[in-house]
Amino acid sequence: MSLMPWLGGRGDPFSSDLFDPFGASWLWDAARRGGEGGSGGRDDATAVARTNVDWHENEKEHIFSAEIPGVKKEDVKVEVEDGNVLKISGQKTREEEHKDDTWNRVERSFGSFMRRFRLPENAKADGIRCTMQDGVLRVVVPKDEEAHKQRNVRSIDIA
C-alpha cells in the first residue's frame, strides 16, 4: 500500500477528474506565487482545487474525508451523478478586504472546488450520509451486499 498522494489517471476506476499534470503545486507553487512570501500570479482556482480527500473502506461502507477548512456547510454540495459518480463541490469566499492595511503574506486560498470519484459497483448511493466537523467533510457510502452476491463468476476451461 502506498502512502503517496494519488495523482489521478485514466486506468484507475477510482481516479479523480481533476488531475492536472501542470498543477503539481508542490513543485511550482512558490514560483507561481512570486516567491516565498508574495501572492503575485497565484491561481486561486488551482489552489482551492487541491482539496485533499482520503477514501477508505471497511466491510460495510466507503468513507470519504475531505479537508475544507474555512468553508461553511451551507457552501458545500454533495451529489451523485449518473448513479455512480460522487461529486463534492463548494466555494470558499474571500473575507472582507481592509483597504488601509498592508498585506505581508497571502497564503489562504479562495474560490470554488470540485472533486469527483467513480463509486464501485457495491456502493449504495441511496444511503449516502454526510457530516461536517472542524473543517472536515465526512461522506459515508454504504455498501450494497446484494450487488456483491449478484456477481456470478464462473470458470471457463481453456482448450
Side-chain angles (χ1 to χ4, degrees), residues 91-102:
Q91 178 147 346
K92 183 175 181 182
T93 55
R94 187 178 299 269
E95 292 179 9
E96 179 181 323
E97 290 189 26
H98 302 280
K99 303 270 186 228
D100 298 330
D101 290 349
T102 301

Side-chain angles (χ1 to χ4, degrees), residues 27 29 75:
L27 298 175
D29 207 26
D75 294 333

Side-chain angles (χ1 to χ4, degrees), residues 96-155:
E96 179 181 323
E97 290 189 26
H98 302 280
K99 303 270 186 228
D100 298 330
D101 290 349
T102 301
W103 292 89
N104 296 314
R105 181 180 289 265
V106 177
E107 294 183 340
R108 295 182 300 152
S109 56
F110 303 93
S112 299
F113 63 90
M114 179 184 64
R115 296 292 307 270
R116 288 185 180 143
F117 300 92
R118 185 170 296 113
L119 296 172
E121 291 179 11
N122 68 348
K124 191 173 181 179
D126 296 341
I128 294 176
R129 50 191 199 281
C130 305
T131 58
M132 193 157 148
Q133 182 178 357
D134 298 331
V136 177
L137 173 69
R138 181 180 159 102
V139 181
V140 178
V141 182
K143 290 183 177 180
D144 185 0
E145 297 300 323
E146 293 301 315
H148 184 67
K149 291 177 185 176
Q150 290 174 0
R151 197 168 183 194
N152 188 8
V153 178
R154 64 181 181 101
S155 295

